[in-house]
Amino acid sequence: MNVFLLAIQSNMSGHGGTTNGTWDGVVPPKCAPNPSILSLAPNLTWVPAVEPLHRDINVNITFGVGPGMLFANSVLAKDPSVGMVGLVPCALGGSKISSWGQGSSLYDRLVSRARAAMQGGGKIQAMLWYQGESDTELQDDAELYMGQLVKFFQDLSCDLESPSLLIIQVALASAQGPFLEQVRGAQLRLDLENVKCVNTQGLELEPDDLHLTSRAKVQLGMMLADSFLHTRSSPP
């Protein structure tokens, strides 16, 4: 089982196709179920992966299409040798980077689900990380963002006993506040060997100007897959 962690905010958990708290139920063909793709359920068992991936993880929120299924389908389409894919939904909308610090409930849930996914021989191949919109609201949060992000990545790699854990982070396409460029700049400047960055600037947004559309989620999924496969094929 090749395991991928999916975190953190609503653009990762899936908001494509939702309007006024209702999902339209439309699943793009490239996000369709695949017998080679499983998802880790809340009870820590593997089940067939279907959209919305986070529907049972955060039950009080309406979810739609996210980039996770498209990512997995794209990886398998371009490199069938990857084999079985296990997706581990862990995202939570509206959460700041400070709420994911070591010892927090969100951090502990992420680590616990990641460890459960590794039981029985599963290997974590990468974490897909899409976060930062909430940190654009206050200047202090934006200024502290880089340091908190680096510490989070380092702590997670250490606690999962995976110093070379591949992290593919998404540079923001939108923001909840006026400090988008400060947070985006920190994401693009971050210089850790095991962290790769995918830039979503310019992707289509929903009318709320915050969440990516289903079409944009498809584009993002392909971008994430390309980044993972490029890194996987590159010599150490």
Side-chain angles (χ1 to χ4, degrees):
M1 179 74 72
N2 294 286
V3 174
F4 297 88
L5 309 178
L6 308 179
I8 163 185
Q9 291 192 254
S10 53
N11 269 314
M12 177 59 75
S13 60
H15 205 277
T18 62
T19 304
N20 297 324
T22 302
W23 179 43
D24 60 18
V26 177
V27 177
K30 292 182 179 181
C31 300
N34 183 322
S36 295
I37 305 174
L38 302 180
S39 177
L40 192 70
N43 65 358
L44 306 182
T45 62
W46 292 108
V47 297
V50 295
E51 293 283 14
L53 286 172
H54 281 78
R55 66 194 179 282
D56 296 322
I57 303 300
N58 299 306
V59 296
N60 296 321
I61 302 173
T62 300
F63 290 112
V65 173
M69 284 298 295
L70 193 286
F71 164 81
N73 275 318
S74 294
V75 167
L76 291 174
K78 295 180 179 182
D79 187 357
S81 69
V82 169
M84 290 295 298
V85 169
L87 301 176
V88 183
C90 297
L92 179 66
S95 47
K96 295 183 179 182
I97 186 62
S98 59
S99 64
W100 286 81
Q102 191 178 42
S104 68
S105 60
L106 292 177
Y107 182 91
D108 289 346
R109 183 183 69 164
L110 172 60
V111 171
S112 176
R113 287 177 59 76
R115 287 173 176 167
M118 290 188 285
Q119 292 181 1
K123 181 179 179 182
I124 298 178
Q125 298 291 343
M127 179 174 71
L128 310 184
W129 178 261
Y130 192 162
Q131 188 275 336
E133 293 95 336
S134 295
D135 290 282
T136 66
E137 295 183 289
L138 301 175
Q139 185 172 0
D140 286 349
D141 289 336
E143 291 177 352
L144 294 172
Y145 186 80
M146 171 74 86
Q148 292 178 321
L149 184 65
V150 169
K151 186 177 188 307
F152 168 77
F153 287 161
Q154 292 174 336
D155 288 342
L156 184 65
S157 297
C158 180
D159 286 338
L160 294 181
E161 299 180 0
S162 180
S164 60
L165 172 67
L166 173 62
I167 298 169
I168 305 176
Q169 74 155 337
V170 178
L172 297 181
S174 57
Q176 292 178 217
F179 299 102
L180 171 61
E181 291 309 315
Q182 287 91 327
V183 174
R184 266 181 54 82
Q187 293 169 334
L188 293 169
R189 293 194 311 274
L190 193 146
D191 186 21
L192 294 176
E193 186 175 358
N194 61 315
V195 179
K196 309 303 177 184
C197 189
V198 168
N199 192 348
T200 60
Q201 189 174 43
L203 292 187
E204 183 180 53
L205 298 174
E206 297 279 8
D208 62 7
D209 288 328
L210 180 63
H211 296 100
L212 298 179
T213 64
S214 291
R215 181 166 56 184
K217 292 287 178 63
V218 169
Q219 293 175 272
L220 174 58
M222 290 189 288
M223 293 163 66
L224 291 166
D226 288 343
S227 178
F228 168 70
L229 291 172
H230 174 77
T231 303
R232 185 171 185 258
S233 63
S234 299

